[in-house]
Amino acid sequence: MTGDFTINGERKILSFEARTTLLRALRENGYTEIKEGCGEGECGACVVLLDGKLVNSCQVLAASAIGSEITTVRGIGDIHIPHPIQQAFVDAGAVQCGFCTPGMVVATYYLLQKNPSPTEKEILKSLDGNLCRCTGYVKIIDAVKLAAEGMEK
Amino acid sequence: MSDFNTVGKSVKKIDALSLAAGEKMFTDDFEIPDKEKLLHLAVLYSPYAYAKIKNIDIGEAEKMDGVIDVLYYGNVERVLHTTAGQGFPEPSPYDTVLFDKKVRFVGDRVALVAATSKKIAQEALKKIKVEYEILEPLFDIEKATSPDAPKIHDDDEYAVIPTKYDPEHNIAAEVEIKFGDIESGFAEADFVEEHTYRTQYAAHCTIEPHAAAAYFDAMGRLIIISSTQVPFHARRITARVLGINEGMIRVIKPRIGGGFGGKQEILVEPLVAMVAWRNKRPAKLVLSREEVFVSSRTRNPMRIRLKTGVKNNGTITAIEMDALMNTGAYGAHALTVLSNAGSKVLPLFNKIENLRFFGRSVYTNLPVGGAYRGYGATKGYFAFNQQIDIIARKVGQDVLEYIKKWHIKEGETSPIFEALGEGKEGVSQIIHSCKLTECIDRGAKAIGWYEKRGKHIRNGDWVKGVGVSVAMQGSGIPRVDMGSAYIKMNDDGSFNLHIGATDLGTGSDTILAQIAAETLQTPIEKFIVRSSDTDLTPFDVGAYASSTTYVSGNAVRKCAEKIREQIIEVAAKIMNADGDNLILENSAVKNLANGKVLPFEKIAKYSLYTQDQFQIQAGESFVGDESPPPFAAQFAEVDVDTRTGKIVVKKFVSAVDCGQPINPKLVEGQVEGAVLNGITYALCEEYLFDKNGRMTNDNFWDYKIFSTADMPKLITIVVNSFEETGPFGAKSVAEIGINGPMPAIANALFDAVGVRLFDAPFTPEKVLRALHKRSA
Ligand code: FES
Ligand code: FES
């Protein structure tokens, strides 16, 4: 089947098989910045903003998201014009293997939109759904703080 | 030491921005050429722990629309190999084939379908009819060698290196070393401590699952893109399995989503390669999370019996370590993980004169062990550090002072370095750099040791305790691990740096460029780094055994030194100067005699276009004569809920001596990641099995690893030392941090509530049981 989506601000028609997850539909259409770590809603590598809400795209059927607005990490910034959050992840040393990073950046973007200066506790709580095995999270938390500071200015 | 320009600076990881921006960088992100022909693979795994396949009927599956190939033992040549991505010849037995007539654990491969879509491939699996003859499985390692135990390998399996391999008794590896006279050592002792420690099965949990794709280039060569830690070993072992030459295959490692040892195994590459080769079509396989848990490699469980003879003044008169390791159904890393439990642990207290290490790895019908960050050392240190805590308490000494007195020091050695290597004898070495005492002092201060130790600070049901653990690791396998580098200079004074080394997210591409930049006195931005491509980069064993900074780093340093010579040679000609007066400074050559400066760009252009033209270029290799160990002192502060048995780690301090850190932030990152992994390994990570040997918690809901919500406060202290044999004084650091959490937490638990757990992980049930037992 096919469906209409607005992805990172652009109208797109995606084709996918019925009962395909949003994650697979997006990846198969070239949006490989969305990662699959578990396919079961446990790791957060696949998070996107779906109509402004943070969701695990592996837990959403593509068909049910037709007509929605989707933001991935590439909609937040790119290598030419990185978003302050992406830059903060780089500067804080929060990117090791980088496989969790797109999800972390999207989750951070969501958090800072709602809460521009989160406390450490709020950061820990809001990134709870995103697993990282490389960093022990220390530098990721640093990155979120750094991004919050940077965006405030 | 601090007058470096690039080394010792927290330079930003060169790939970080691209990763944070979601560029296409991982195996499954790339568009495969000829993608209309791409075959998707699905694997059929054994539902039984041990069975003979009496019959397989693939007819129905083959007939399905879209199914292109079905592989099983009947149509794939039986080529014995090991999946362990180690040097050649591998110290692991050749006991594995792609598909066998026997299945040896739940998750062993039975068959594989290649189809035009993943869905069809998965559907087709259901159509394969397998008739099994279920055999009595072997789960208990203590029973593995008994004469009536089931034999797991009784065909043509063999060991490639001269070592004890006795599949008749399910012995995958065995090793023994002795010094002094262990019996008289124990006789001399005032008391003997003997305890049995057990560690559990655990998973690496790289967030990217194993993935590989294979396709043909225009010349008909097979290209494999793989999420591997060992591209060169992957090429060699895949070539063996396919029966073709290494030269026919190119392995490319793109960015990979974590390794931790789990991707040191050659598991998926032969499958995609075999399918591509048979069908002359591209093929791809990305494992699901469940497949990774059930069918890939694990941290092996180990049972360690540790016996120490001790004088009342604390002198250890004899130590005996008896390690029994469960290698699971196959012997990947069976010998080397095992040896490592002794070789990386026992030299730490090098003044013990009477010593025996005996290790045995046995086959069972459970998941296969393998390499996992920390290797055998993690298990050995679990036993060793609790034992030291027990001894220090018994002789009434502060454990920190006790360790400081007995640990190996600069200028000292241990006979174990020479006696116990990895699959062969080791190499004798003297410790040139060791700041363990300083690590202990600084770590103790950061945790508040003397304010908290033995104080049993209470808060309702919660009681506080602190514990310590110390460790050393290594920097590569001496006289085995080789790394190499190639550098050339470009028109504008930039450089291509080609290294076989494998960046797993550790940042090795960055720190190797830092080493080159420091040698050539030019900024790191001048380096275009390409790594881990068997066609384009020179050989490197890959990323394991904490080798990259030291081994590959030394190769880069040597290579850059050659480039420096050539630059000076050309500059001397242009400047009409005596080469002895020329030095490199700020991307230029400076004549100390007259202060004149010639930028690299001019030198490059001259060498390429002007006179006596040649390419400024060099290649170099390095193999270590020794393996200088990093050292660490790690401290846990825990709160124990005496009502529920729950342990909460409040704070964890790691003070680490890894020589001169090339990039302090990346060092911290390595330690922090290893520590959190170690903490969950201590508290909750564990494979659970049903009575048939099937893993029952093969997902992240049931196999818990910490998220931000569970975080203790992690503090990392980098204690600089200078390792004279390392590049700019550096040693390695990737693994050591994982060794401390389990024993430090166990010791902190005892400090808090006076119970010891010898079986990991330390679940609330176990803590509670121990508390009840004590009060009974
Ligand atoms: S892939 Fe969606 S949560 Fe893990
Ligand atoms: S950086 Fe590797 S999983 Fe987070």
Side-chain angles (χ1 to χ4, degrees), chain B residues 249-294:
Chain B
I249 301 176
R250 172 182 178 190
V251 174
I252 301 168
K253 181 228 63 130
R255 295 294 97 185
I256 91 167
F260 318 120
K263 293 171 182 169
Q264 199 194 330
E265 293 292 307
I266 317 307
L267 289 169
V268 285
E269 298 89 347
L271 298 179
V272 292
M274 182 64 88
V275 168
W277 193 257
R278 282 160 68 111
N279 297 286
K280 302 298 174 227
R281 288 174 70 158
K284 187 196 267 194
L285 178 61
V286 181
L287 297 187
S288 70
R289 180 57 50 191
E290 182 190 339
E291 285 176 292
V292 175
F293 272 118
V294 173

Side-chain angles (χ1 to χ4, degrees), chain A residues 17-18 24 27-28 30-43 45 73-74 77-80 82 86-87 89-93 95-102 104-105 120 123-141, chain B residues 12-13 15-26 28-30 117 119 203-209 255-258 260 288-290 372-373 504-506 665-666 668-670 672-674 676-677 680 685 698-701 703 705-711 714:
Chain A
E17 280 180 41
R24 296 258 41 118
R27 278 194 65 86
E28 276 155 26
Y31 297 92
T32 54
E33 67 270 30
I34 309 160
K35 303 300 177 200
E36 175 164 358
C38 69
E40 299 191 336
E42 301 152 1
C43 76
V73 73
R74 292 176 76 95
D78 63 23
I79 51 169
H80 308 291
Q86 289 163 324
Q87 195 57 51
F89 269 70
V90 175
D91 295 346
V95 184
Q96 282 195 31
C97 80
F99 199 78
C100 71
T101 312
M104 289 285 182
V105 169
E120 171 138 350
I123 296 171
L124 297 181
K125 198 160 168 240
S126 66
L127 293 185
D128 182 28
N130 292 70
L131 295 180
C132 173
R133 189 63 149 175
C134 298
T135 63
Y137 305 106
V138 179
K139 307 243 176 310
I140 290 178
I141 296 158
Chain B
K12 280 163 207 153
K13 209 156 142 287
D15 52 354
L17 179 59
S18 308
L19 289 162
E23 288 293 319
K24 290 185 193 300
M25 298 171 88
F26 296 93
D28 194 28
D29 296 348
F30 300 112
S117 80
K119 212 165 147 201
H204 306 81
C205 301
T206 58
I207 304 300
E208 179 203 34
R255 295 294 97 185
I256 91 167
F260 318 120
S288 70
R289 180 57 50 191
E290 182 190 339
Y372 193 135
R373 194 175 214 168
L504 315 179
T506 48
K665 210 165 244 182
L666 291 178
E668 287 167 17
Q670 283 302 299
E672 288 153 0
L676 196 66
N677 186 338
T680 49
E685 286 188 47
D698 53 12
N699 57 71
F700 285 142
W701 295 118
Y703 184 101
I705 65 173
F706 276 11
S707 70
T708 47
D710 314 293
M711 282 274 295
L714 302 186

Side-chain angles (χ1 to χ4, degrees), chain A residues 55-68:
Chain A
V55 299
N56 286 325
S57 61
C58 70
Q59 296 301 294
V60 176
L61 285 180
S64 74
I66 291 173
S68 311

